[in-house]
Amino acid sequence: MSAFAYEKNGDAIYRQSFAIIRAEADLSRFTPGEAEVAVRMIHGCGLVEAAAHIAFSPDLVDSAIAALQQGAPILCDAEMVAHGVTRARLPAGNEVICTLRDPTTPDLAARIGNTRSAAAIDLWGERLAGAMVAIGNAPTALFYLLEKIAAGGPRPAAIIGCPVGFVGARESKEALEAFAPAIPWLTVRGRMGGSAMTASAINALAGLAQERIPQGHTL
Amino acid sequence: MSAFAYEKNGDAIYRQSFAIIRAEADLSRFTPGEAEVAVRMIHGCGLVEAAAHIAFSPDLVDSAIAALQQGAPILCDAEMVAHGVTRARLPAGNEVICTLRDPTTPDLAARIGNTRSAAAIDLWGERLAGAMVAIGNAPTALFYLLEKIAAGGPRPAAIIGCPVGFVGARESKEALEAFAPAIPWLTVRGRMGGSAMTASAINALAGLAQERIPQGHTL
């Protein structure tokens, strides 16, 4: 017996949620693939108004799908992002990596004169080449990543750059959009963003990557 | 050398962020302790507008501080919430528990005809008595928790009830506020909420619990 009347079926909850978001959010700027990702990101934050701030480079969806299908690791700036990625949706058993709690990170941060979130990115090393990057927390991590790439470091396949907050978040995301030569990017402009929106974006792209695997094709 | 000009000192970033939030957000409804918690929650979502939706029962801050100081475990509905709790801030080495990925959860969900998030709460068992509950994801988890308590189950010390979303989130939080006999509660009304705001609330309360430990007092 239940004291409250509420939907208890997980699939029905998802279906109804996505229907409400598609009815209320202005998704007209997006391609069908982008809209799928935006719907999931809105679901993660509970705000249809977020649609106005979500932005994609034109090549983001296809690049991310290809990278995920080819087994690219997902490099996350925060444990919350890593734990929001649904492993069962990943199309190629992709590794999900967060190096923030590595015991060497604090010393490294002191040495480079930056935050632990930035220092953790140094530990990604060569795994960054062709990777999916998912930054949902620290503006310093996004700035530092772009600095490393500009200095000749490995280039990832795509950057989901959605740090949240009041100091540097907006600016770091503007730097991502302006970065040249461009790397396929997805962002939430302004202060909004965060680990839930970032993990939701990865989960949506992983879902598209699974749907688009050609029949009979072995990855 | 840095390609971008940005604040790289973590403490300075926090300080500036909290100053911006206190300058922009309307915190006049809150006690000093509540305002501290609200500032952290706003920091977690990047939206000063969230202040209008954050609500506390009058006894929440004191009850949560006392429970945390006494070593209450923190029972979370989602891994993202659990991984957002900063262990170093906890005043008594409090356990942080999430049972969502327990291997028995899927079968239990099928048996009770509810979501896995709801079923996971059954696994909290007697640990629920006097615990800090942190629900940041699933409305079904909050509804089911209230049903269990109404049916005579153990009563937690406080409930941070901030599920996010479009189906049941608002209603589950209204049920929390209306629950009788009341349990100290903290919520974000409407669709907003989520794991980051929920973990931020716990981290703020843990910080207050550490500050308010009487000098010379051994916990």
Side-chain angles (χ1 to χ4, degrees), chain B residues 14-195:
Chain B
Y14 271 108
R15 226 172 20 245
Q16 290 172 34
S17 299
F18 296 154
I20 292 169
I21 294 167
R22 285 187 181 273
E24 292 188 22
D26 179 2
L27 305 172
S28 55
R29 291 188 295 122
F30 301 125
T31 67
E34 290 170 354
E36 186 79 23
V37 176
V39 165
R40 283 260 171 190
M41 294 174 77
I42 290 167
H43 184 248
C45 70
L47 283 167
V48 293
E49 298 79 2
H53 309 287
I54 296 170
F56 299 81
S57 70
D59 51 358
L60 182 278
V61 171
D62 287 344
S63 302
I65 288 175
L68 288 168
Q69 288 182 338
Q70 288 156 26
I74 299 160
L75 305 178
C76 309
D77 71 327
E79 291 286 341
M80 286 184 80
V81 176
H83 282 88
V85 174
T86 306
R87 301 303 192 275
R89 290 177 78 89
L90 299 175
N94 311 245
E95 255 193 296
V96 181
I97 295 165
C98 176
T99 50
L100 185 61
R101 292 193 185 156
D102 188 281
T104 64
T105 302
D107 283 351
L108 190 55
R111 187 143 52 80
I112 66 172
N114 210 320
T115 63
R116 288 192 305 121
S117 294
I121 284 176
D122 270 336
L123 303 178
W124 292 351
E126 290 303 316
R127 292 177 290 194
L128 183 54
M132 282 290 307
V133 170
I135 294 181
N137 184 47
T140 52
L142 182 50
F143 272 130
Y144 190 67
L145 171 68
L146 296 177
E147 287 172 349
K148 284 179 68 80
I149 298 169
R155 289 172 65 88
I159 300 176
I160 315 298
C162 305
V164 61
F166 299 86
V167 174
R170 176 174 58 75
E171 295 84 353
S172 70
K173 293 180 280 194
E174 288 171 357
L176 172 62
E177 291 196 40
F179 193 73
I183 291 166
W185 54 264
L186 161 54
T187 196
V188 184
R189 291 172 177 151
R191 290 171 170 177
M192 289 183 70
S195 47

Side-chain angles (χ1 to χ4, degrees), chain A residues 60 63-76 94-97 121 124-135 145 149 154-160 183-185 202 205:
Chain A
L60 183 277
S63 302
I65 288 175
L68 288 168
Q69 288 182 340
Q70 286 157 26
I74 300 160
L75 305 178
C76 309
N94 311 245
E95 256 192 295
V96 181
I97 295 165
I121 283 176
W124 293 351
E126 290 304 316
R127 291 176 292 193
L128 184 54
M132 282 290 308
V133 170
I135 294 181
L145 171 68
I149 297 169
R155 290 172 66 87
I159 300 175
I160 315 298
I183 290 166
W185 53 264
I202 295 285
L205 291 163

Side-chain angles (χ1 to χ4, degrees), chain A residues 31-117:
Chain A
T31 67
E34 290 170 353
E36 186 79 22
V37 176
V39 165
R40 283 260 171 188
M41 294 174 76
I42 291 167
H43 185 247
C45 71
L47 283 167
V48 293
E49 297 80 2
H53 308 288
I54 296 170
F56 299 81
S57 71
D59 51 358
L60 183 277
V61 171
D62 288 344
S63 302
I65 288 175
L68 288 168
Q69 288 182 340
Q70 286 157 26
I74 300 160
L75 305 178
C76 309
D77 72 326
E79 291 286 340
M80 286 183 81
V81 176
H83 282 87
V85 174
T86 306
R87 301 305 193 273
R89 289 177 80 88
L90 298 175
N94 311 245
E95 256 192 295
V96 181
I97 295 165
C98 176
T99 51
L100 185 61
R101 292 194 186 156
D102 188 280
T104 65
T105 302
D107 283 351
L108 191 55
R111 187 143 53 79
I112 66 172
N114 209 320
T115 63
R116 288 193 304 120
S117 294

Side-chain angles (χ1 to χ4, degrees), chain A residues 2 6 24 83 114 147 191, chain B residues 2 6 24 114 147 191:
Chain A
S2 178
Y6 59 101
E24 291 187 22
H83 282 87
N114 209 320
E147 288 172 347
R191 291 170 169 178
Chain B
S2 178
Y6 59 101
E24 292 188 22
N114 210 320
E147 287 172 349
R191 290 171 170 177

